[in-house]
Amino acid sequence: GNSVTQMEGPVTLSEEAFLTINCTYTATGYPSLFWYVQYPGEGLQLLLKATKADDKGSNKGFEATYRKETTSFHLEKGSVQVSDSAVYFCALSVNNNDMRFGAGTRLTVKP
Amino acid sequence: DTGVSQDPRHKITKRGQNVTFRCDPISEHNRLYWYRQTLGQGPEFLTYFQNEAQLEKSRLLSDRFSAERPKGSFSTLEIQRTEQGDSAMYLCATKGQARNEQFFGPGTRLTVL
């Protein structure tokens, strides 16, 4: 079946540190891949997406590249800020149907 | 604010009671999804509609759960004879035809005592 496995948290970093949150997937067919973010007290918001192999999604300094050969979609940011503290979810969708989410990774950035 | 609204935001009920949640989608979005999220987990798919037709239901959706989207606009999710295990955040998401990402509402947090 279709599923996502993402790096367990929590992750605690100092401001301006480099961030990587790993995400790997299993899918039948050709999935679209997403990263969603959930800030404290808010709903899920789309952070970035990629719809085919080698696509790079980017937004707000975050990037992720769709790697078919390693079935991965790792999230990276070169310099995190306190305001990036949130829970990050990796997700996939096949044929525009329901989304399958990872368990989420809680990021805390300390000043 | 994604444009998807859910009501109520919080619901506390006693075991055995029925509850109903509402989701109002972005107006031009034809697909509407329901998910359940428990603490420390990602959202789990429950069911989805294309316009008024319910096209898929997860095995998580027991016979105590029913969802409707009568005119292809808002949707309701009803849970009958609630159990403590139903305590979770219930999320609604909608999707238009032009884009493949889903837009999520703020969720309804259900607590069953």
mmCIF file of all heavy atoms in Angstrom, chain B residues 28-63:
data_model
loop_
_atom_site.group_PDB
_atom_site.id
_atom_site.type_symbol
_atom_site.label_atom_id
_atom_site.label_comp_id
_atom_site.label_asym_id
_atom_site.label_seq_id
_atom_site.Cartn_x
_atom_site.Cartn_y
_atom_site.Cartn_z
ATOM 1 N N GLU B 28 -15.422 26.694 -4.627
ATOM 2 C CA GLU B 28 -15.280 26.052 -5.930
ATOM 3 C C GLU B 28 -14.643 24.666 -5.851
ATOM 4 O O GLU B 28 -14.448 24.013 -6.878
ATOM 5 C CB GLU B 28 -14.467 26.940 -6.883
ATOM 6 C CG GLU B 28 -13.041 27.168 -6.442
ATOM 7 C CD GLU B 28 -12.872 28.395 -5.571
ATOM 8 O OE1 GLU B 28 -13.873 28.808 -4.932
ATOM 9 O OE2 GLU B 28 -11.744 28.936 -5.512
ATOM 10 N N HIS B 29 -14.349 24.192 -4.651
ATOM 11 C CA HIS B 29 -13.691 22.897 -4.513
ATOM 12 C C HIS B 29 -14.719 21.762 -4.574
ATOM 13 O O HIS B 29 -15.675 21.739 -3.803
ATOM 14 C CB HIS B 29 -12.914 22.822 -3.204
ATOM 15 C CG HIS B 29 -11.634 23.569 -3.248
ATOM 16 N ND1 HIS B 29 -10.709 23.508 -2.235
ATOM 17 C CD2 HIS B 29 -11.109 24.383 -4.201
ATOM 18 C CE1 HIS B 29 -9.657 24.251 -2.558
ATOM 19 N NE2 HIS B 29 -9.891 24.799 -3.738
ATOM 20 N N ASN B 30 -14.485 20.803 -5.481
ATOM 21 C CA ASN B 30 -15.458 19.734 -5.643
ATOM 22 C C ASN B 30 -15.160 18.510 -4.779
ATOM 23 O O ASN B 30 -16.039 17.689 -4.536
ATOM 24 C CB ASN B 30 -15.556 19.320 -7.124
ATOM 25 C CG ASN B 30 -14.239 18.767 -7.652
ATOM 26 O OD1 ASN B 30 -13.172 19.103 -7.169
ATOM 27 N ND2 ASN B 30 -14.338 17.911 -8.654
ATOM 28 N N ARG B 31 -13.926 18.397 -4.290
ATOM 29 C CA ARG B 31 -13.606 17.232 -3.456
ATOM 30 C C ARG B 31 -13.491 17.652 -1.994
ATOM 31 O O ARG B 31 -12.890 18.687 -1.685
ATOM 32 C CB ARG B 31 -12.306 16.582 -3.911
ATOM 33 C CG ARG B 31 -12.473 15.780 -5.188
ATOM 34 C CD ARG B 31 -11.393 14.747 -5.324
ATOM 35 N NE ARG B 31 -11.597 13.922 -6.513
ATOM 36 C CZ ARG B 31 -10.843 12.902 -6.856
ATOM 37 N NH1 ARG B 31 -9.805 12.580 -6.093
ATOM 38 N NH2 ARG B 31 -11.098 12.202 -7.936
ATOM 39 N N LEU B 32 -14.037 16.821 -1.120
ATOM 40 C CA LEU B 32 -14.021 17.104 0.309
ATOM 41 C C LEU B 32 -13.630 15.826 1.037
ATOM 42 O O LEU B 32 -14.193 14.759 0.774
ATOM 43 C CB LEU B 32 -15.395 17.607 0.772
ATOM 44 C CG LEU B 32 -15.495 18.102 2.215
ATOM 45 C CD1 LEU B 32 -16.540 19.211 2.323
ATOM 46 C CD2 LEU B 32 -15.776 16.981 3.185
ATOM 47 N N TYR B 33 -12.676 15.948 1.942
ATOM 48 C CA TYR B 33 -12.099 14.797 2.642
ATOM 49 C C TYR B 33 -12.312 14.968 4.146
ATOM 50 O O TYR B 33 -12.238 16.077 4.671
ATOM 51 C CB TYR B 33 -10.596 14.696 2.392
ATOM 52 C CG TYR B 33 -10.210 14.582 0.937
ATOM 53 C CD1 TYR B 33 -10.184 15.699 0.106
ATOM 54 C CD2 TYR B 33 -9.840 13.358 0.392
ATOM 55 C CE1 TYR B 33 -9.816 15.595 -1.228
ATOM 56 C CE2 TYR B 33 -9.473 13.241 -0.942
ATOM 57 C CZ TYR B 33 -9.464 14.356 -1.741
ATOM 58 O OH TYR B 33 -9.098 14.246 -3.061
ATOM 59 N N TRP B 34 -12.473 13.853 4.830
ATOM 60 C CA TRP B 34 -12.460 13.827 6.300
ATOM 61 C C TRP B 34 -11.282 12.955 6.752
ATOM 62 O O TRP B 34 -11.052 11.860 6.215
ATOM 63 C CB TRP B 34 -13.754 13.255 6.858
ATOM 64 C CG TRP B 34 -14.926 14.191 6.785
ATOM 65 C CD1 TRP B 34 -15.936 14.196 5.863
ATOM 66 C CD2 TRP B 34 -15.240 15.240 7.718
ATOM 67 N NE1 TRP B 34 -16.838 15.186 6.145
ATOM 68 C CE2 TRP B 34 -16.439 15.835 7.285
ATOM 69 C CE3 TRP B 34 -14.627 15.733 8.870
ATOM 70 C CZ2 TRP B 34 -17.035 16.912 7.954
ATOM 71 C CZ3 TRP B 34 -15.219 16.785 9.528
ATOM 72 C CH2 TRP B 34 -16.408 17.370 9.079
ATOM 73 N N TYR B 35 -10.570 13.479 7.769
ATOM 74 C CA TYR B 35 -9.451 12.766 8.371
ATOM 75 C C TYR B 35 -9.625 12.780 9.889
ATOM 76 O O TYR B 35 -10.285 13.644 10.454
ATOM 77 C CB TYR B 35 -8.118 13.457 8.059
ATOM 78 C CG TYR B 35 -7.697 13.422 6.616
ATOM 79 C CD1 TYR B 35 -8.152 14.383 5.718
ATOM 80 C CD2 TYR B 35 -6.826 12.447 6.153
ATOM 81 C CE1 TYR B 35 -7.756 14.365 4.387
ATOM 82 C CE2 TYR B 35 -6.418 12.425 4.816
ATOM 83 C CZ TYR B 35 -6.890 13.377 3.953
ATOM 84 O OH TYR B 35 -6.491 13.361 2.637
ATOM 85 N N ARG B 36 -8.963 11.843 10.545
ATOM 86 C CA ARG B 36 -8.905 11.830 12.004
ATOM 87 C C ARG B 36 -7.435 11.878 12.397
ATOM 88 O O ARG B 36 -6.598 11.192 11.808
ATOM 89 C CB ARG B 36 -9.552 10.557 12.558
ATOM 90 C CG ARG B 36 -9.565 10.482 14.067
ATOM 91 C CD ARG B 36 -10.296 9.253 14.541
ATOM 92 N NE ARG B 36 -9.533 8.044 14.251
ATOM 93 C CZ ARG B 36 -9.986 6.815 14.474
ATOM 94 N NH1 ARG B 36 -11.197 6.646 14.955
ATOM 95 N NH2 ARG B 36 -9.237 5.772 14.210
ATOM 96 N N GLN B 37 -7.135 12.708 13.399
ATOM 97 C CA GLN B 37 -5.771 12.834 13.878
ATOM 98 C C GLN B 37 -5.738 12.641 15.382
ATOM 99 O O GLN B 37 -6.402 13.376 16.117
ATOM 100 C CB GLN B 37 -5.193 14.210 13.514
ATOM 101 C CG GLN B 37 -3.731 14.379 13.881
ATOM 102 C CD GLN B 37 -3.189 15.746 13.510
ATOM 103 O OE1 GLN B 37 -3.943 16.685 13.255
ATOM 104 N NE2 GLN B 37 -1.874 15.864 13.448
ATOM 105 N N THR B 38 -4.990 11.660 15.833
ATOM 106 C CA THR B 38 -4.804 11.459 17.267
ATOM 107 C C THR B 38 -3.445 12.013 17.675
ATOM 108 O O THR B 38 -2.567 12.262 16.836
ATOM 109 C CB THR B 38 -4.908 9.968 17.633
ATOM 110 O OG1 THR B 38 -4.001 9.224 16.801
ATOM 111 C CG2 THR B 38 -6.316 9.453 17.409
ATOM 112 N N LEU B 39 -3.284 12.200 18.969
ATOM 113 C CA LEU B 39 -2.100 12.882 19.500
ATOM 114 C C LEU B 39 -0.818 12.184 19.069
ATOM 115 O O LEU B 39 -0.680 10.971 19.209
ATOM 116 C CB LEU B 39 -2.192 12.914 21.028
ATOM 117 C CG LEU B 39 -1.272 13.923 21.725
ATOM 118 C CD1 LEU B 39 -1.641 15.344 21.309
ATOM 119 C CD2 LEU B 39 -1.365 13.758 23.234
ATOM 120 N N GLY B 40 0.086 12.959 18.496
ATOM 121 C CA GLY B 40 1.375 12.415 18.101
ATOM 122 C C GLY B 40 1.373 11.660 16.792
ATOM 123 O O GLY B 40 2.380 11.041 16.432
ATOM 124 N N GLN B 41 0.254 11.694 16.075
ATOM 125 C CA GLN B 41 0.155 10.989 14.799
ATOM 126 C C GLN B 41 -0.227 11.951 13.684
ATOM 127 O O GLN B 41 -0.735 13.046 13.926
ATOM 128 C CB GLN B 41 -0.895 9.878 14.888
ATOM 129 C CG GLN B 41 -0.573 8.814 15.913
ATOM 130 C CD GLN B 41 0.708 8.080 15.591
ATOM 131 O OE1 GLN B 41 0.951 7.685 14.454
ATOM 132 N NE2 GLN B 41 1.558 7.891 16.597
ATOM 133 N N GLY B 42 -0.007 11.504 12.463
ATOM 134 C CA GLY B 42 -0.480 12.273 11.331
ATOM 135 C C GLY B 42 -1.946 11.982 11.064
ATOM 136 O O GLY B 42 -2.511 11.023 11.590
ATOM 137 N N PRO B 43 -2.571 12.822 10.255
ATOM 138 C CA PRO B 43 -3.974 12.577 9.904
ATOM 139 C C PRO B 43 -4.162 11.231 9.208
ATOM 140 O O PRO B 43 -3.330 10.826 8.399
ATOM 141 C CB PRO B 43 -4.290 13.740 8.950
ATOM 142 C CG PRO B 43 -3.294 14.796 9.280
ATOM 143 C CD PRO B 43 -2.055 14.067 9.674
ATOM 144 N N GLU B 44 -5.274 10.557 9.534
ATOM 145 C CA GLU B 44 -5.630 9.291 8.894
ATOM 146 C C GLU B 44 -6.908 9.494 8.103
ATOM 147 O O GLU B 44 -7.895 10.028 8.621
ATOM 148 C CB GLU B 44 -5.851 8.203 9.946
ATOM 149 C CG GLU B 44 -4.625 7.859 10.751
ATOM 150 C CD GLU B 44 -4.977 6.910 11.873
ATOM 151 O OE1 GLU B 44 -5.698 7.320 12.804
ATOM 152 O OE2 GLU B 44 -4.555 5.743 11.814
ATOM 153 N N PHE B 45 -6.907 9.037 6.874
ATOM 154 C CA PHE B 45 -8.038 9.212 5.969
ATOM 155 C C PHE B 45 -9.263 8.456 6.471
ATOM 156 O O PHE B 45 -9.173 7.295 6.882
ATOM 157 C CB PHE B 45 -7.650 8.713 4.583
ATOM 158 C CG PHE B 45 -8.783 8.592 3.619
ATOM 159 C CD1 PHE B 45 -9.366 9.720 3.064
ATOM 160 C CD2 PHE B 45 -9.283 7.348 3.272
ATOM 161 C CE1 PHE B 45 -10.408 9.611 2.164
ATOM 162 C CE2 PHE B 45 -10.330 7.220 2.366
ATOM 163 C CZ PHE B 45 -10.892 8.366 1.812
ATOM 164 N N LEU B 46 -10.431 9.117 6.422
ATOM 165 C CA LEU B 46 -11.696 8.476 6.773
ATOM 166 C C LEU B 46 -12.581 8.258 5.533
ATOM 167 O O LEU B 46 -13.041 7.155 5.271
ATOM 168 C CB LEU B 46 -12.469 9.313 7.790
ATOM 169 C CG LEU B 46 -11.841 9.437 9.181
ATOM 170 C CD1 LEU B 46 -12.698 10.354 10.054
ATOM 171 C CD2 LEU B 46 -11.683 8.070 9.838
ATOM 172 N N THR B 47 -12.827 9.345 4.799
ATOM 173 C CA THR B 47 -13.723 9.252 3.652
ATOM 174 C C THR B 47 -13.571 10.487 2.782
ATOM 175 O O THR B 47 -13.011 11.490 3.232
ATOM 176 C CB THR B 47 -15.192 9.112 4.107
ATOM 177 O OG1 THR B 47 -16.032 8.850 2.978
ATOM 178 C CG2 THR B 47 -15.697 10.370 4.804
ATOM 179 N N TYR B 48 -14.047 10.399 1.527
ATOM 180 C CA TYR B 48 -14.067 11.610 0.727
ATOM 181 C C TYR B 48 -15.252 11.631 -0.237
ATOM 182 O O TYR B 48 -15.831 10.587 -0.575
ATOM 183 C CB TYR B 48 -12.738 11.840 0.002
ATOM 184 C CG TYR B 48 -12.562 11.216 -1.360
ATOM 185 C CD1 TYR B 48 -12.919 11.900 -2.522
ATOM 186 C CD2 TYR B 48 -11.967 9.973 -1.497
ATOM 187 C CE1 TYR B 48 -12.712 11.342 -3.778
ATOM 188 C CE2 TYR B 48 -11.750 9.409 -2.746
ATOM 189 C CZ TYR B 48 -12.119 10.101 -3.882
ATOM 190 O OH TYR B 48 -11.902 9.544 -5.120
ATOM 191 N N PHE B 49 -15.592 12.859 -0.637
ATOM 192 C CA PHE B 49 -16.696 13.115 -1.549
ATOM 193 C C PHE B 49 -16.169 13.830 -2.787
ATOM 194 O O PHE B 49 -15.275 14.666 -2.699
ATOM 195 C CB PHE B 49 -17.738 14.048 -0.900
ATOM 196 C CG PHE B 49 -18.463 13.437 0.257
ATOM 197 C CD1 PHE B 49 -17.905 13.432 1.520
ATOM 198 C CD2 PHE B 49 -19.717 12.874 0.078
ATOM 199 C CE1 PHE B 49 -18.572 12.864 2.589
ATOM 200 C CE2 PHE B 49 -20.402 12.314 1.150
ATOM 201 C CZ PHE B 49 -19.827 12.303 2.407
ATOM 202 N N GLN B 50 -16.754 13.482 -3.896
ATOM 203 C CA GLN B 50 -16.621 14.303 -5.094
ATOM 204 C C GLN B 50 -18.010 14.839 -5.370
ATOM 205 O O GLN B 50 -18.928 14.094 -5.689
ATOM 206 C CB GLN B 50 -16.106 13.511 -6.280
ATOM 207 C CG GLN B 50 -15.977 14.374 -7.527
ATOM 208 C CD GLN B 50 -14.952 13.850 -8.498
ATOM 209 O OE1 GLN B 50 -13.828 13.532 -8.129
ATOM 210 N NE2 GLN B 50 -15.355 13.747 -9.749
ATOM 211 N N ASN B 51 -18.127 16.158 -5.240
ATOM 212 C CA ASN B 51 -19.461 16.790 -5.230
ATOM 213 C C ASN B 51 -20.296 16.119 -4.132
ATOM 214 O O ASN B 51 -19.834 16.033 -3.000
ATOM 215 C CB ASN B 51 -20.072 16.722 -6.609
ATOM 216 C CG ASN B 51 -19.208 17.446 -7.630
ATOM 217 O OD1 ASN B 51 -18.763 18.566 -7.391
ATOM 218 N ND2 ASN B 51 -18.946 16.804 -8.764
ATOM 219 N N GLU B 52 -21.473 15.596 -4.458
ATOM 220 C CA GLU B 52 -22.296 15.004 -3.404
ATOM 221 C C GLU B 52 -22.077 13.503 -3.242
ATOM 222 O O GLU B 52 -22.632 12.885 -2.335
ATOM 223 C CB GLU B 52 -23.780 15.297 -3.658
ATOM 224 C CG GLU B 52 -24.349 14.656 -4.902
ATOM 225 C CD GLU B 52 -24.105 15.493 -6.152
ATOM 226 O OE1 GLU B 52 -23.364 16.485 -6.077
ATOM 227 O OE2 GLU B 52 -24.668 15.132 -7.201
ATOM 228 N N ALA B 53 -21.278 12.903 -4.110
ATOM 229 C CA ALA B 53 -21.077 11.454 -4.084
ATOM 230 C C ALA B 53 -19.928 11.069 -3.150
ATOM 231 O O ALA B 53 -18.813 11.589 -3.282
ATOM 232 C CB ALA B 53 -20.792 10.956 -5.500
ATOM 233 N N GLN B 54 -20.218 10.129 -2.249
ATOM 234 C CA GLN B 54 -19.192 9.605 -1.360
ATOM 235 C C GLN B 54 -18.478 8.475 -2.095
ATOM 236 O O GLN B 54 -19.061 7.422 -2.342
ATOM 237 C CB GLN B 54 -19.819 9.098 -0.059
ATOM 238 C CG GLN B 54 -18.807 8.723 0.997
ATOM 239 C CD GLN B 54 -19.463 8.403 2.340
ATOM 240 O OE1 GLN B 54 -20.676 8.185 2.420
ATOM 241 N NE2 GLN B 54 -18.694 8.388 3.411
ATOM 242 N N LEU B 55 -17.201 8.697 -2.449
ATOM 243 C CA LEU B 55 -16.514 7.771 -3.340
ATOM 244 C C LEU B 55 -15.657 6.731 -2.647
ATOM 245 O O LEU B 55 -15.376 5.680 -3.233
ATOM 246 C CB LEU B 55 -15.660 8.547 -4.347
ATOM 247 C CG LEU B 55 -16.416 9.453 -5.312
ATOM 248 C CD1 LEU B 55 -15.469 10.020 -6.362
ATOM 249 C CD2 LEU B 55 -17.549 8.701 -5.985
ATOM 250 N N GLU B 56 -15.224 7.014 -1.446
ATOM 251 C CA GLU B 56 -14.346 6.060 -0.776
ATOM 252 C C GLU B 56 -14.506 6.188 0.726
ATOM 253 O O GLU B 56 -14.676 7.298 1.246
ATOM 254 C CB GLU B 56 -12.885 6.303 -1.165
ATOM 255 C CG GLU B 56 -11.916 5.239 -0.653
ATOM 256 C CD GLU B 56 -10.498 5.458 -1.123
ATOM 257 O OE1 GLU B 56 -10.296 6.239 -2.079
ATOM 258 O OE2 GLU B 56 -9.583 4.850 -0.529
ATOM 259 N N LYS B 57 -14.463 5.050 1.400
ATOM 260 C CA LYS B 57 -14.518 5.030 2.862
ATOM 261 C C LYS B 57 -13.408 4.128 3.381
ATOM 262 O O LYS B 57 -13.242 3.001 2.908
ATOM 263 C CB LYS B 57 -15.878 4.513 3.343
ATOM 264 C CG LYS B 57 -17.024 5.448 3.038
ATOM 265 C CD LYS B 57 -18.294 5.062 3.792
ATOM 266 C CE LYS B 57 -18.988 3.877 3.185
ATOM 267 N NZ LYS B 57 -20.318 3.654 3.824
ATOM 268 N N SER B 58 -12.691 4.618 4.364
ATOM 269 C CA SER B 58 -11.636 3.827 4.999
ATOM 270 C C SER B 58 -12.259 2.781 5.914
ATOM 271 O O SER B 58 -13.370 2.943 6.414
ATOM 272 C CB SER B 58 -10.736 4.760 5.806
ATOM 273 O OG SER B 58 -9.998 4.063 6.769
ATOM 274 N N ARG B 59 -11.495 1.722 6.164
ATOM 275 C CA ARG B 59 -11.978 0.732 7.132
ATOM 276 C C ARG B 59 -11.995 1.300 8.546
ATOM 277 O O ARG B 59 -12.588 0.721 9.448
ATOM 278 C CB ARG B 59 -11.124 -0.523 7.069
ATOM 279 C CG ARG B 59 -9.691 -0.342 7.475
ATOM 280 C CD ARG B 59 -8.949 -1.676 7.451
ATOM 281 N NE ARG B 59 -7.584 -1.533 7.891
ATOM 282 C CZ ARG B 59 -6.589 -1.189 7.095
ATOM 283 N NH1 ARG B 59 -6.810 -0.969 5.829
ATOM 284 N NH2 ARG B 59 -5.364 -1.090 7.574
ATOM 285 N N LEU B 60 -11.366 2.471 8.735
ATOM 286 C CA LEU B 60 -11.446 3.140 10.042
ATOM 287 C C LEU B 60 -12.855 3.658 10.308
ATOM 288 O O LEU B 60 -13.226 3.920 11.442
ATOM 289 C CB LEU B 60 -10.472 4.322 10.086
ATOM 290 C CG LEU B 60 -8.984 4.023 10.084
ATOM 291 C CD1 LEU B 60 -8.213 5.329 10.025
ATOM 292 C CD2 LEU B 60 -8.591 3.205 11.297
ATOM 293 N N LEU B 61 -13.624 3.834 9.235
ATOM 294 C CA LEU B 61 -14.953 4.411 9.358
ATOM 295 C C LEU B 61 -15.943 3.291 9.719
ATOM 296 O O LEU B 61 -16.517 2.656 8.827
ATOM 297 C CB LEU B 61 -15.336 5.079 8.044
ATOM 298 C CG LEU B 61 -16.314 6.250 8.128
ATOM 299 C CD1 LEU B 61 -15.656 7.456 8.776
ATOM 300 C CD2 LEU B 61 -16.814 6.611 6.751
ATOM 301 N N SER B 62 -16.120 3.087 11.021
ATOM 302 C CA SER B 62 -17.022 2.021 11.452
ATOM 303 C C SER B 62 -18.463 2.411 11.141
ATOM 304 O O SER B 62 -18.758 3.539 10.732
ATOM 305 C CB SER B 62 -16.868 1.779 12.958
ATOM 306 O OG SER B 62 -17.513 2.808 13.691
ATOM 307 N N ASP B 63 -19.388 1.475 11.397
ATOM 308 C CA ASP B 63 -20.785 1.747 11.077
ATOM 309 C C ASP B 63 -21.408 2.775 12.020
ATOM 310 O O ASP B 63 -22.538 3.205 11.815
ATOM 311 C CB ASP B 63 -21.607 0.457 11.059
ATOM 312 C CG ASP B 63 -21.514 -0.303 12.353
ATOM 313 O OD1 ASP B 63 -20.902 0.204 13.318
ATOM 314 O OD2 ASP B 63 -22.027 -1.440 12.414
#
